[in-house]
Amino acid sequence: MELTYLGHSCVLLKGKKTVLVDPFSPELEIPPSPDIVAVTHGHADHMGSAVALKRPTVAINEVAKYLKSKGIPAEGMNIGGTILVEGVTFHMVQAIHSSWIEEAGIGCNGGGAAGFVIGMEGRRVYHAGDTALFSDMKLIGELCHPDVALLPIGGRFTMGPEEAMIAARYIGAPLVIPIHYDTWPVIRQDPKQFRTALERTTDIRVRILSPGEKLTI
Ligand code: NI
Ligand code: MN
C-alpha cells in the first residue's frame, strides 16, 4: 500500500482502491476522485472538500447524515463498529475531541469525533483524527495491530508531542507518522525532536513526511 501525506491531517492511501482521509490541505490540491473518502469529524480542517468531492464517504452517523443531505453517498457508522466499503475495512475508534459542522456561519452538532483503523491488502493504518491522549489506545493496539499510526502532535486542539510519545507506546505500531502540526503558528511543533525522543526510548520508528511525500507500507 502506498501512503501519501497531503499536509495537516490529510492522507491518501493507495492499494486496490484509493482512500482519502480528511480531505483538507492548505498546501496541496485534493485528489479529485478517490474511490472512498473518510472523515474523522465535522471540523472544517477535516471535512474539507468532502461535499465537493461527491464520493462515497465514511463518517460518524451525524456527519454522514449531514453529507447525505448534500447528496453525498455517505456511509454512516459509529465508534466500535467495522464496515467494509469496496473491499476496504473501516474500523471506527474513539477520539477525545469535539465535532461541529459549520456552513455559512451556521453550525450544527457533528456528533462525536473519531479515528479510523483502515485495512487494505493486509496492511492496517490507524489515523487518530484529532484527539487527546487516552489510555484505551492500548485496546486499539491489542485489537487492530496497526502497521502504521498517524498521530497528531500539534497541541492546542489535540495532544502534543509528549502525549503522542505515550500514545505511540500504547498503540505499539512499529511506525509512527506525525500529523496535524505546523499548519498554522498555533500548532507549531518540532517533529524532529519528537522523532529523536521516541526513537531513543522505544523500537518505534518515526517517519516525518512533508506534504506530497509518499511512503510504501
Ligand atoms: Ni478538530
Ligand atoms: Mn483539526
Side-chain angles (χ1 to χ4, degrees):
M1 193 202 297
E2 186 186 81
L3 182 155
T4 309
Y5 179 54
L6 297 169
H8 197 55
S9 196
C10 185
V11 174
L12 181 70
L13 305 175
K14 259 190 210 170
K16 57 187 171 188
K17 297 287 171 183
T18 54
V19 180
L20 182 63
V21 186
D22 285 352
F24 169 88
S25 171
E27 286 105 351
L28 297 170
E29 291 269 311
I30 295 298
S33 48
D35 293 309
I36 309 160
V37 175
V39 174
T40 60
H41 62 292
H43 290 155
D45 61 317
H46 297 262
M47 186 103 94
S49 50
V51 172
L53 282 165
K54 294 189 172 62
R55 303 300 300 160
T57 303
V58 180
I60 205 160
N61 276 333
E62 290 77 3
V63 171
K65 201 171 173 184
Y66 167 81
L67 291 171
K68 278 182 192 165
S69 78
K70 299 282 163 193
I72 308 304
E75 292 274 359
M77 64 184 302
N78 218 316
I79 291 159
T82 304
I83 60 170
L84 193 65
V85 183
E86 297 190 40
V88 182
T89 306
F90 292 85
H91 177 63
M92 185 173 272
V93 299
Q94 180 187 9
I96 298 186
H97 193 65
S98 59
S99 183
W100 182 253
I101 303 167
E102 209 164 286
E103 188 186 315
I106 300 165
C108 66
N109 194 319
F116 288 106
V117 180
I118 300 168
M120 181 162 54
E121 291 170 353
R123 310 298 279 171
R124 287 176 192 161
V125 176
Y126 170 41
H127 188 300
D130 279 358
T131 187
L133 172 67
F134 54 94
S135 57
D136 280 355
M137 283 176 173
K138 287 176 191 165
L139 292 176
I140 297 169
E142 194 180 330
L143 196 69
C144 303
H145 302 285
D147 299 289
V148 182
L150 295 147
L151 302 178
I153 65 158
R156 185 161 183 140
F157 308 109
T158 67
M159 57 187 174
E162 232 175 286
E163 295 96 330
M165 279 184 66
I166 298 172
R169 283 193 215 110
Y170 282 172
I171 298 151
L175 181 68
V176 165
I177 299 170
I179 59 170
H180 211 277
Y181 67 94
D182 282 4
T183 321
W184 302 288
V186 290
I187 54 171
R188 186 82 61 212
Q189 292 293 346
D190 182 354
K192 288 187 183 132
Q193 214 176 336
F194 169 71
R195 180 179 62 195
T196 306
L198 191 60
E199 291 193 343
R200 196 177 51 218
T201 52
T202 67
D203 291 333
I204 299 164
R205 298 299 93 184
V206 176
R207 185 71 197 269
I208 299 164
L209 297 176
S210 309
E213 217 177 326
K214 286 173 191 176
L215 180 71
T216 301
I217 53 170

